[in-house]
Amino acid sequence: MVAMEYTIQELEKKANALRLDVIEATTAAGSGHPGGSLSSADLLAALYFKVMRHDPEDPEREDRDRFILSKGHAAPILYSALAESGYFPKEELATLRKMGSRLQGHPVKGKVPGIEMSTGSLGQGLSMACGMALAGKLDKKDHKIYCLLGDGELQSGQNWEAAMLARHYHLNNLIAFVDRNRLQITGCTEDAMSLDPLPEKWRAFGWNVIIINGHSMIQIVEACAKAKEAETNPTVIIMNTVKGKGVSFMENNCDFHGKACKAGEKDQAVTELCRI
Amino acid sequence: MTGKKLAQRNYYGKALADLAAKDPNVVVMDADLADSTKTTEFKKIAPERFIEVGIAEQNMIGVASGLAASGKIVFASTFAVFATGRCWEQIRLAVAYPKLNVKIVATHCGISVGEDGASHQALEDIALMRALPNMTVISPADAYEAYAATIAIAEFDGPVYMRMGRSEFPTITKEDAEFKIGRASILKEGDDATLIGTGQMVALCKEAADALLEEGIDVEVVNMSTIKPLDRETLKASIRKTGCAVTAEEHSIIGGLGAAVAEFLSQEMPAPLEMIGTKDTFGESGAPDKLFEKYGLTSNDIADAVKRSLDRKKEMKG
């Protein structure tokens, strides 16, 4: 099992290490999705080094918590979290998106240990998470299912089919996160297809809603602790975040949704992240 | 000779009920059509393992995927149009790609759906499912085979699509026969032409073969109950002997059984092939037997196609 004794400050350092991995890997690949990876780095650090019960030595152990990256394009941050946890060697991050690599452009179940589900086509992860949560209930297990959703992908109707089901079957073992960075490829989510008022939508579907600053480690950890105590219904943690968080020229810049840094940009990004 | 008329979906229900009692790992899902697909038979025995998702097929497939990834054997059922068309890309990403143990079992395939009309008559489902890597596609010939195939796919590890009809039609296989995935069966041996049917067209193929025999034409009848993987060995042996073939399916000739056989023949052993099926068209409302006449799916149509394939074989030899 991963030691879960990290302090908030240490978790913040982990998040920064994950961000550096993302920049290195996507720059080496020459493509990928750094923006949405950086906005969810703090969450992934919290989940893999504090919140989740998991074991890189025994990735298939039955009582593990499961994590599904519904916004599969943020694969670099998931690969970084898995590598930093010890699921596979960190050097392998340099193979991201290359021919023959286990680190495909979007996550593939079974390719590397720790990937619970194939994702990448948006709008499907919450349904998959519901299935895992239902299985947990059927088997009377106490593990949790965590699912990270992009905000843009909530424009897809299947999420709301899943939201209905999760409430209908009282899946209190399901905890969803929305990476509310307010940007998608086209630009602002509210211009592409408005999502606000987002908390009200989830509340109307019967979910517990917690709203936090997605870059505050203490808020993430506390929100997860609260969500784990949910008695009857699923919980969504809406994380207000900044796309490209941690690198000045990437922040709130939707150009970096699906584009890697150039060599010079990378040096600046690394310098900035090393200063934190 | 064909047996009594039975509906495949009733035997699917029976098989699920037997599985409910036999295997605690089996979970059944439906999207508001459990009374029609007969998954209610499972619900009666194992209500806690029956999951109703409402009218939300895309979600059903995602949830099925999550259940299967947690070790469950999942049967997800609805009408064939919705089971394959509404959620094709969900099946692709969440079931076929990760090779999960989800059995998509659809009823109401083909124009024999009848009066509900084209919106409910799946004539493209085989094509949609056959195109997916890792997907096994099964189309049992009658109610008995639907039962046996249900048991067989529960034991098989991996994604499966199985299609069944709505209405009652004559049985042609033996009750209690074992179903072998990927294995075609020969219902009647013959030397003149190979007649390959799937689903309820198999009984009509047999009827056509019996009628042709009276005219002195001796046709081999193959029940192709697994469309993917195609039983190439059985096809090869039969068509090497007969030199021509006819396919018959209650499905479009684009992408279905006929297309699968054509792909095989053209690449490995070119031979004249005639296809019975719908010809790039939607169905419509009507009584199933009248629709079969209008869309060229009767045993007479099959017999005529056999004669055309024989003529073409002669021309080639000539």
Side-chain angles (χ1 to χ4, degrees):
Chain A
M1 297 285 279
V2 173
M4 296 298 170
E5 309 306 320
Y6 294 100
T7 64
I8 294 297
Q9 209 179 7
E10 285 167 335
L11 290 172
E12 287 167 350
K13 279 197 178 138
K14 282 282 181 198
N16 214 41
L18 299 186
R19 286 193 167 93
L20 279 165
D21 290 342
V22 166
I23 296 296
E24 294 283 355
T26 51
T27 308
S31 66
H33 296 81
S37 294
L38 296 181
S39 62
S40 45
D42 299 294
L43 173 70
L44 272 278
L47 288 178
Y48 279 86
F49 295 99
K50 177 84 179 170
V51 175
M52 288 205 305
R53 181 168 69 198
H54 69 115
D55 186 358
E57 301 295 316
D58 185 8
E60 298 287 315
R61 60 181 290 168
E62 256 194 60
D63 66 346
R64 71 189 185 280
D65 292 336
R66 274 84 164 159
F67 174 74
I68 296 178
L69 183 68
S70 187
K71 46 175 288 187
H73 55 280
I77 192 66
L78 176 57
Y79 294 148
S80 300
L82 291 173
E84 293 280 350
S85 301
Y87 282 90
F88 59 87
K90 267 189 71 174
E91 298 73 54
E92 204 171 328
L93 289 174
T95 69
L96 175 70
R97 291 179 156 251
K98 299 204 167 108
M99 276 281 280
S101 172
R102 297 195 292 174
L103 308 184
Q104 294 284 297
H106 294 82
V108 183
K109 178 179 163 53
K111 273 272 180 194
V112 277
I115 302 285
E116 298 284 358
M117 189 53 84
S118 303
T119 52
S121 166
L122 294 173
Q124 301 192 33
L126 193 59
S127 301
M128 297 160 171
C130 284
M132 292 185 181
L134 272 170
K137 291 273 178 199
L138 280 172
D139 294 339
K140 301 193 171 29
K141 297 278 170 59
D142 71 345
H143 63 257
K144 306 287 182 200
I145 313 298
Y146 297 91
C147 179
L148 173 57
L149 303 156
D151 52 356
E153 73 169 317
L154 294 179
Q155 291 155 355
S156 172
Q158 189 183 339
N159 284 298
W160 303 103
E161 296 180 359
M164 263 189 276
L165 180 136
R167 168 61 167 71
H168 182 82
Y169 287 102
H170 297 295
L171 301 178
N172 63 330
N173 53 348
L174 171 63
I175 299 166
F177 304 91
V178 178
D179 186 356
R180 186 72 173 115
N181 59 38
R182 307 189 81 89
L183 289 176
Q184 57 193 104
I185 299 184
T186 308
C188 178
T189 55
E190 302 313 288
D191 294 335
M193 181 51 62
S194 48
L195 293 164
D196 284 332
L198 191 55
E200 281 80 349
K201 286 188 171 70
W202 287 98
R203 281 191 199 106
F205 278 79
W207 284 54
N208 305 315
V209 178
I210 303 175
I211 303 165
I212 61 167
N213 171 356
H215 302 306
S216 161
M217 194 57 75
I218 184 80
Q219 287 188 31
I220 294 172
V221 169
E222 284 177 1
C224 289
K226 194 172 169 203
K228 282 186 188 180
E229 302 300 315
E231 278 177 12
T232 44
N233 292 328
T235 300
V236 61
I237 299 173
I238 299 176
M239 309 186 303
N240 290 309
T241 56
V242 173
K243 199 154 190 162
K245 175 72 178 174
V247 178
S248 60
F249 60 90
M250 297 174 90
E251 287 192 359
N252 284 318
N253 182 352
C254 66
D255 285 351
F256 284 98
H257 170 90
K259 200 183 74 168
C261 289
K262 296 192 179 70
E265 293 172 330
K266 184 202 125 182
D267 293 341
Q268 190 190 335
V270 169
T271 308
E272 287 186 22
L273 287 169
C274 287
R275 265 206 305 267
I276 297 173
Chain B
M1 277 295 288
T2 52
K4 57 183 165 186
K5 286 186 162 190
L6 296 170
Q8 291 183 307
R9 54 191 173 133
N10 287 334
Y11 278 69
Y12 172 54
K14 263 187 185 210
L16 286 183
D18 289 349
L19 285 169
K22 203 175 83 178
D23 190 342
N25 241 2
V26 173
V27 174
V28 174
M29 309 182 71
D30 209 304
D32 197 39
L33 289 169
D35 285 339
S36 297
T37 63
K38 303 301 172 192
T39 55
T40 38
E41 299 305 312
F42 182 92
K43 187 182 176 184
K44 283 178 198 161
I45 294 171
E48 73 289 352
R49 284 185 278 136
F50 175 81
I51 297 164
E52 173 62 65
V53 299
I55 307 165
E57 295 78 9
Q58 300 178 348
N59 189 41
M60 176 163 74
I61 295 302
V63 173
S65 160
L67 283 160
S70 308
K72 303 296 176 195
I73 300 165
V74 187
F75 283 79
S77 285
T78 179
F79 291 176
V81 165
F82 316 131
T84 60
R86 172 69 69 95
C87 47
W88 184 84
E89 201 262 337
Q90 280 76 9
I91 296 171
R92 179 179 186 273
L93 176 84
V95 176
Y97 189 33
K99 216 173 175 179
L100 285 167
N101 212 2
V102 176
K103 321 300 171 189
I104 299 156
V105 181
T107 62
H108 294 62
C109 72
I111 56 170
S112 56
V113 164
E115 289 76 1
D116 274 349
S119 64
H120 284 56
Q121 296 164 343
L123 295 169
E124 311 83 10
D125 55 313
I126 296 173
L128 287 170
M129 292 297 105
R130 202 166 72 80
L132 290 173
N134 295 336
M135 185 61 80
T136 293
V137 180
I138 291 174
S139 162
D142 61 13
Y144 297 147
E145 205 170 58
Y147 178 94
T150 305
I151 302 298
I153 64 176
E155 288 165 1
F156 171 82
D157 186 24
V160 174
Y161 172 63
M162 182 162 104
R163 80 188 311 239
M164 294 179 298
R166 179 191 76 91
S167 51
E168 294 181 341
F169 59 86
T171 54
I172 187 98
T173 67
K174 285 198 190 75
E175 195 169 6
D176 302 327
E178 193 190 348
F179 186 86
K180 291 204 172 92
I181 297 170
R183 183 79 58 83
S185 50
I186 293 174
L187 293 184
K188 175 192 169 304
E189 293 189 353
D191 294 328
D192 294 334
T194 302
L195 182 45
I196 308 149
T198 196
Q200 71 165 299
M201 299 304 286
V202 177
L204 296 179
C205 287
K206 183 65 172 35
E207 205 176 292
D210 292 344
L212 286 166
L213 198 57
E214 288 178 15
E215 298 179 39
I217 300 170
D218 191 10
V219 172
E220 184 143 297
V221 180
V222 178
N223 169 18
M224 193 60 76
S225 45
T226 304
I227 294 173
K228 186 187 172 190
L230 196 66
D231 183 350
R232 303 154 81 92
E233 294 313 310
T234 297
L235 284 181
K236 203 179 274 181
S238 180
I239 298 170
R240 190 175 286 150
K241 176 176 68 175
T242 62
C244 63
V246 174
T247 56
E249 63 198 304
E250 199 193 347
H251 183 275
S252 172
I253 58 167
I254 299 174
L257 169 71
V261 172
E263 287 157 16
F264 164 72
L265 289 180
S266 60
Q267 292 178 88
E268 298 199 18
M269 47 181 307
L273 171 68
E274 293 287 323
M275 296 183 197
I276 293 293
T278 55
K279 310 282 196 303
D280 199 14
T281 181
F282 291 107
E284 63 185 289
S285 292
D289 55 338
K290 297 289 174 209
L291 291 173
F292 269 52
E293 280 172 23
K294 175 166 178 182
Y295 290 89
L297 302 179
T298 65
S299 62
N300 284 338
D301 295 311
I302 297 171
D304 288 346
V306 168
K307 289 174 187 167
R308 286 198 300 276
S309 75
L310 288 170
D311 288 345
R312 285 173 59 195
K313 180 168 73 171
K314 265 184 219 144
E315 277 170 29
M316 278 174 71
K317 280 185 179 162

